[in-house]
Amino acid sequence: MTSHRVSYDLAETLLAPGEVAIVGAGPGDPGLLSLRALALIEQADCLVYDRLVSKEVLALASPDAQRFYVGKASRCHALTQEQTNALLVRLAGEGRRVVRLKGGDPYIFGRGGEEAEVLVENRVPFRVVPGITSAQGCAAYGGFPLTHRDHAQSVTFVTGHCKGDGELALNWQALAVPHHTVVFYMGLANAALISDKLQSYGLAAGHPVALVERGTTPEQRQVITCLGELVKTIDEQGLRPPTLIVVGEVVRLADVLAQPMPEEAIFASGEILELARERIAL
């Protein structure tokens, strides 16, 4: 077993055999983990983890902890959600201390609620530890706020794809309002629809958009564009999932608020901002 680096008295009660902890692993940088998340990861007999959980976070667990990859990408799942649910129930039934690691926050587009429901149905004890969601991490590392008294008095987190790859039916009129920030998770495949709908409900083609790929990691890329150029920018820059789409006037503040980095390119509309940020050592 690895030596403990977190006081469990500070963190919370020990994880019991047969208990599941649904833990938010944050957007990638291990320095963004909570103390509670770290304490539970160190105690785990097994980790059940998603595609967006970084290898640095996984390395914080005991080398003896068994690891189960259940990552999901569009039309490519290591396990179905039903199989993942069954795995959690089985491991808990075997008396394992289970940590279910999810990128970002488990209750924000992380299917944590679905898994919690299954645990309740099967009388499996569990706890939930929130994490910094991708919207918060990408905005902070990208140098812009999600809300600002002069630019955005509200923010909405929206899924960019629907269950079963169905039609993306959203309240577009409510999203296309001034002084508001909209963050689309998993929205690259529907970028054309997002652009068209927001413009048809009143936002200008020049309305600013930030695209943040692999936010908070050493591979983070950020592009500032606009609604009218959204699809073209994604194609030209070759952006791939995971990429967050942030729509709103707040993204213009990245010019002012982004922290200067060594050899960082001048940040201008349509240009890529390479962020080689130092990782925070735990």
Side-chain angles (χ1 to χ4, degrees), residues 209-225:
V209 179
L211 295 156
V212 188
E213 179 185 78
R214 304 195 66 82
T216 82
T217 75
E219 295 78 35
Q220 177 169 322
R221 290 197 298 158
Q222 179 165 296
V223 183
I224 300 298
T225 184

Side-chain angles (χ1 to χ4, degrees), residues 20-24 47-51 68-72 79-89 92 98-103 105-107 109-128:
V20 176
I22 302 175
V23 175
L47 301 175
V48 180
Y49 67 98
D50 283 347
R51 180 173 62 97
F68 297 87
Y69 174 68
V70 296
K72 296 176 179 64
L79 295 180
T80 66
Q81 186 61 54
E82 291 72 21
Q83 290 171 327
T84 298
N85 297 343
L87 175 64
L88 294 175
V89 173
V98 183
V99 169
R100 172 67 169 110
L101 274 178
K102 292 177 172 291
D105 181 278
Y107 277 4
F109 305 125
R111 303 189 185 183
E114 298 173 38
E115 293 173 7
E117 287 180 306
V118 171
L119 296 176
V120 170
E121 290 169 3
N122 288 273
R123 299 182 180 179
V124 175
F126 72 97
R127 65 185 83 174
V128 178

Side-chain angles (χ1 to χ4, degrees), residues 75 135 163 223 232 263:
R75 301 180 180 86
K163 187 174 182 179
V223 183
K232 178 182 177 182
E263 301 180 3

